[in-house]
Structure formats: C-alpha cells, structure tokens
C-alpha cells in the first residue's frame, strides 16, 4: 500500500467540480457548457472503510478542504488541501499534505495548475505548469518538477470539463462515459483513461443516506443528483490478457451544479469514505 501524490490529487480533481458526452474516439474535447456550477466551500472528513489484499492499514484519519469559484466568463478556480494520516501498526504512520490550485477556462482551452505535496518530513514536491489547447493538440509547459514542453491528444479534457460532460451524459440518460483526462497530477505528465458509470437519477426531494449539510441546504434540495463511479486507468499501460485493472476509482453522488457528496475512494488495497462535514455556498459573481 502507498499513498501517492496522484491518488490524493484525483480526489481534488473530482470533488472540486466536475457538453456533449464525448468518448475516447470521437467528438472534439471542447464542450458546450450548460452547467451552472455553484461557487462553494466543502469540508470532507476521511475515514477507513475497508482494506483488501492483506493491506497493513489499521486506521486513516484526514480532511479535505475544497474551495471552488468562478463563472463561464472568467473561468473556474479551485483550491484544494488534503491532509491524511495512515496508521499501519507497530507505530508506523504516514502523513501526507497535498495542496493544489488550478484555473480552467470555461471553454476547455486553457488550464493552469500548481501542486505541492509533502510526505512525512520529506521536502515538498512541486508540480507547476500550464496546458493550452490549439487545434487538435494540447501543449503542456511544465516549470516544475523539470522544465519540459510536450503535447497531448486534443481529445483529452481537463477536470472541470470532465464534470460538465458527466453531468451532460447523466441528463441525457446515458450510463457510460469514456474520457481521457489530464489534471497535472503525479509528475505533471500523466494522462488517464477514465470510465464513468452513472446510476439512476436521485430526485431532489429524496433525503441523503446519511444526511449531510448539502442535503439539508435549501438551495440544494430541489436539485437532481446521480450516483457516479469513475475508474482511472493508466493511459500508457499496455493491457495484458483479460481486463485492465484501474489504478484507482471514486464513487460519489454528483449534483447537477457540480457539488459532490458521499465520497468513496478506492485505492485497490484500501478504501476511504469521505463524509461532507461542512458546506458553505459562496457569493456568485455573474458574467458581465
């Protein structure tokens, strides 16, 4: 078992926000936004749900603080911090502290990101870069951990557009969605193939189980939400015989305004629950 930078960041990329639901082989990456994202702050409490494969994980404690703001005119800003402590027995503890900030153009043309990760008392690891979409390609320019420029397939989407497409697919009654996703995680060079499974819509008048601050908020009560599971696969990995195993997976209930609740984070060897402990709606600056 290991808690790495990319597994921690994945939660940030999805819990922070998440038209035309495109698949890996088809439609252009730039969506037609039709999602009124809600600026908000959310605090999630992490706990160990279960372990597999004889993983030496006894307890997990942690929190995620997430801030999301912006609009379709100015783009979307996300600030995310996750602090997790894993106790593996015999006095062995692993403390990870991840901070990320990002800005994404509402049309999916530009994405800026900065990620700082610290494990125990080690020196922080930084990833800093920008990705720009031009025609059929995306050009990524990294400042950290090394200066490097490379290109990605233009079908790749950034995190906010990923959520736009999931919501659009859910509204259209689709149950499966495949996307290539880039968020700057790991060393800034990773692209993931994702498979999203969307469950039956949950009407706004149906209480959450268990309830949390989102289900009791008056502004959220009329909104539809969907149970969603997103599995992440290494884009560069060669599939062996049989089905490829995901690197990790996330399950959550996704509201039509981009808010997520009832998180389940599956890292294969262990699974975490993320309960929404605090939820605050921020002032919404309309487009000019």
């Amino acid at each position: 078992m290991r808690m790495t930078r990319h597994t921690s960041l994945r939660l940030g990329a999805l819990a922070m926000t998440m038209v035309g639901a495109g698949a890996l082989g088809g439609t252009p990456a730039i969506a037609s936004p039709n999602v009124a994202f809600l600026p908000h702050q959310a605090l999630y409490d992490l706990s160990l749900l279960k372990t597999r494969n004889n993983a030496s994980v006894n307890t997990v404690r942690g929190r995620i603080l997430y801030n999301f703001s912006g609009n379709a005119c100015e783009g979307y800003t996300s600030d995310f911090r996750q602090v997790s402590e894993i106790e593996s027995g015999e006095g062995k503890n692993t403390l990870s502290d991840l901070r990320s900030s990002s800005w994404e153009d509402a049309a999916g043309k530009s994405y800026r990101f900065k990620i700082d990760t610290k494990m125990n008392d080690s020196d922080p690891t930084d990833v800093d870069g920008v990705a720009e979409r031009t025609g059929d390609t995306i050009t990524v320019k990294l400042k950290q951990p090394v200066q490097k420029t490379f290109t990605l397939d233009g079908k790749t989407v950034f995190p906010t557009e990923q959520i736009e497409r999931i919501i659009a697919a859910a509204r259209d009654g689709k149950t499966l969605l495949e996307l290539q996703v880039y968020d700057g995680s790991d060393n800034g060079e990773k692209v993931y193939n994702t498979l999203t499974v969307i469950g039956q819509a949950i009407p706004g008048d149906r209480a959450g189980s268990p309830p949390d601050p989102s289900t009791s908020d008056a502004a959220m009560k009329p909104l539809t939400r969907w149970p969603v599971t997103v599995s992440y696969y290494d884009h560069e990995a060669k599939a062996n015989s049989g089905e490829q195993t995901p690197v990790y997976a996330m399950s959550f209930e996704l509201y039509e305004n981009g808010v997520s609740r009832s998180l389940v984070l599956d890292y294969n060897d262990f699974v975490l629950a993320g309960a929404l402990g605090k939820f605050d709606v921020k002032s919404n600056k309309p487009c000019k």
Side-chain angles (χ1 to χ4, degrees):
M1 179 282 302
R2 61 194 181 100
M3 176 70 77
T4 62
R5 177 167 63 252
H6 70 265
T7 54
S8 295
L9 179 63
R10 177 57 51 195
L11 177 58
L14 279 170
M16 69 180 183
T17 51
M18 290 224 170
V19 293
L24 291 177
T27 42
I30 298 174
S32 299
N34 193 28
V35 177
F37 285 117
L38 180 70
H40 67 281
Q41 182 182 82
L43 179 68
Y44 299 88
D45 295 307
L46 301 178
S47 61
L48 182 64
L49 195 59
K50 62 180 176 181
T51 61
R52 302 191 190 99
N53 306 321
N54 297 317
S56 56
V57 178
N58 291 346
T59 60
V60 177
R61 294 179 297 274
R63 279 188 166 181
I64 294 165
L65 180 63
Y66 173 73
N67 280 283
F68 177 82
S69 60
N71 56 48
C73 297
E74 299 178 356
Y76 302 107
T77 299
S78 299
D79 293 297
F80 163 83
R81 185 179 184 186
Q82 177 178 340
V83 178
S84 304
E85 183 178 20
I86 301 175
E87 196 270 305
S88 303
E90 299 180 356
K92 296 180 180 179
N93 291 352
T94 300
L95 181 66
S96 68
D97 187 348
L98 180 144
R99 306 180 191 210
S100 73
S101 298
S102 66
W103 174 87
E104 182 174 339
D105 171 60
K109 294 181 178 180
S110 182
Y111 177 62
R112 299 195 299 262
F113 54 93
K114 183 174 176 58
I115 306 159
D116 301 310
T117 308
K118 186 173 182 179
M119 304 288 288
N120 293 329
D121 295 325
S122 62
D123 293 332
T125 302
D126 298 330
V127 179
D128 189 355
V130 61
E132 301 282 351
R133 186 186 307 277
T134 305
D136 295 333
T137 62
I138 296 171
T139 300
V140 179
K141 295 182 179 180
L142 290 180
K143 299 178 182 178
Q144 296 285 348
V146 295
Q147 289 190 354
K148 186 173 184 178
T149 300
F150 56 93
T151 60
L152 303 176
D153 191 323
K155 293 189 293 292
T156 304
V157 302
F158 304 132
T160 304
E161 185 175 352
Q162 179 189 13
I163 296 301
E164 284 182 329
R165 288 176 175 246
I166 292 174
I167 294 171
R171 285 172 171 170
D172 287 343
K174 300 181 185 299
T175 58
L176 296 176
L177 176 65
E178 291 180 291
L179 292 170
Q180 290 176 187
V181 178
Y182 176 80
D183 61 13
S185 60
D186 202 48
N187 61 355
E189 300 182 44
K190 276 282 189 183
V191 174
Y192 288 92
N193 294 342
T194 69
L195 174 64
T196 301
V197 179
I198 305 168
Q200 187 173 3
I202 303 171
D205 58 1
R206 185 184 303 173
S209 180
D212 62 34
S214 73
T215 60
S216 60
D217 185 274
M220 301 290 289
K221 284 184 177 180
L223 301 181
T224 300
R225 62 188 190 273
W226 297 268
V228 171
T229 298
V230 186
S231 299
Y232 289 82
Y233 300 85
D234 189 341
H235 181 62
E236 300 299 326
K238 302 296 183 181
N240 298 319
S241 58
E243 295 184 0
Q244 187 180 2
T245 302
V247 180
Y248 43 85
M250 283 190 66
S251 298
F252 51 98
E253 289 184 4
L254 177 63
Y255 284 94
E256 57 186 303
N257 62 0
V259 175
S260 298
R261 68 172 299 274
S262 191
L263 307 176
V264 176
L265 316 176
D266 190 339
Y267 298 129
N268 292 323
D269 286 345
F270 65 101
V271 181
L272 302 183
L276 184 58
K278 186 177 181 182
F279 173 75
D280 295 311
V281 176
K282 302 168 69 174
S283 60
N284 189 8
K285 184 179 179 182
C287 288
K288 294 183 180 179

